Amino acid sequence: MNNDENTPNPNRDLVHNESVTNEFSPVLEIIKQGKNRAYQAVNVALIDTYWQVGHYLSIKAAEAGWGKGVVKELAAWLSHNSPDLKGFSAQNLWRMKQFYEIYHKDEKLSALLRVLSWTHHCILLAQCKTDQERYFYAHLSVKSGLSSRELENQIKRGIFERTMMADQKLSPVVRELPRTHNTIILSR
């Protein structure tokens, strides 16, 4: 067997070899970036699918009187006809309808829809009381890269309410100044 430097040696300690790390690190970074892009593409497709299902259910509810009973039947039918299909329970189907109905008229939120995960959306739908609050937390999640757990913590801490109360204490002139969410300080 050739002991040439170019021949890989499985016994060599690759973890602590700085020159190997410098050579191999770019490959790891390429892989991580590719996985991240794949995750983002899957998320966009998933959100688009949920949007379209929600749109369909919204139309059927308005035009054909579909209610929770029909949606429950739909969930059972989907499960029977495609047993490997996950995430389409009656409760989740109803959330998709709610997702569409809340966001379809709001241009500000529509730009953020595809960036956030479905878990983020479920948290926003369940825990935010107003469109303004939903937008605030959606924007904060995107700008700050909040995980769903961090988003829940920010909502529990009342960051939106505290920010709104702080705004009320400001003079009217200062409140009219352009604001960016970069000025929000998160309490983590």
Side-chain angles (χ1 to χ4, degrees):
M1 184 166 231
N2 187 356
N3 283 336
D4 189 5
E5 283 187 55
N6 294 331
T7 304
N9 182 350
N11 297 324
R12 191 168 70 184
D13 185 9
L14 297 176
V15 176
H16 299 293
N17 186 323
E18 190 173 331
S19 68
V20 170
T21 298
N22 289 338
E23 291 293 319
F24 291 178
S25 288
V27 175
L28 179 59
E29 191 58 34
I30 291 167
I31 294 167
K32 286 180 178 180
Q33 289 173 0
K35 287 177 82 173
N36 190 37
R37 284 192 313 274
Y39 171 77
Q40 289 171 345
V42 167
N43 186 63
V44 167
L46 185 67
I47 295 299
D48 285 346
T49 299
Y50 289 174
W51 179 269
Q52 291 171 17
V53 169
H55 181 230
Y56 183 83
L57 293 175
S58 182
I59 289 171
K60 287 298 189 178
E63 294 176 359
W66 282 23
K68 290 188 177 186
V70 176
V71 171
K72 192 173 182 177
E73 288 177 28
L74 172 61
W77 186 88
L78 289 170
S79 178
H80 176 75
N81 287 290
S82 187
D84 59 327
L85 193 62
K86 304 292 181 217
F88 293 91
S89 66
Q91 182 180 10
N92 217 20
L93 288 168
W94 209 251
R95 279 190 195 122
M96 292 173 205
K97 177 183 172 289
Q98 181 186 18
F99 172 68
Y100 172 79
E101 289 175 345
I102 286 177
Y103 293 143
H104 82 281
K105 292 181 184 174
D106 193 334
E107 292 180 24
K108 289 192 305 184
L109 278 173
S110 64
L112 300 174
L113 292 180
R114 298 167 130 208
V115 179
L116 296 172
S117 72
W118 182 242
T119 304
H120 280 82
H121 287 296
C122 289
I123 292 167
L124 294 171
L125 292 171
Q127 297 183 23
C128 295
K129 298 164 198 72
T130 66
D131 291 341
Q132 185 182 14
E133 184 180 8
R134 251 186 302 283
Y135 176 76
F136 175 87
Y137 284 117
H139 192 267
L140 181 64
S141 293
V142 171
K143 289 293 181 189
S144 300
L146 298 181
S147 69
S148 56
R149 183 171 289 146
E150 290 170 326
L151 171 61
E152 277 190 302
N153 287 335
Q154 295 304 321
I155 293 171
K156 286 177 186 171
R157 288 186 177 131
I159 299 298
F160 172 73
E161 290 85 0
R162 292 192 336 219
T163 301
M164 294 300 109
M165 286 177 19
D167 280 354
Q168 291 173 357
K169 293 177 184 177
L170 297 174
S171 72
V173 172
V174 174
R175 275 188 262 158
E176 295 301 316
L177 293 174
R179 293 187 38 179
T180 65
H181 289 291
N182 293 338
T183 59
I184 297 171
I185 299 173
L186 299 177
S187 55
R188 289 188 186 201

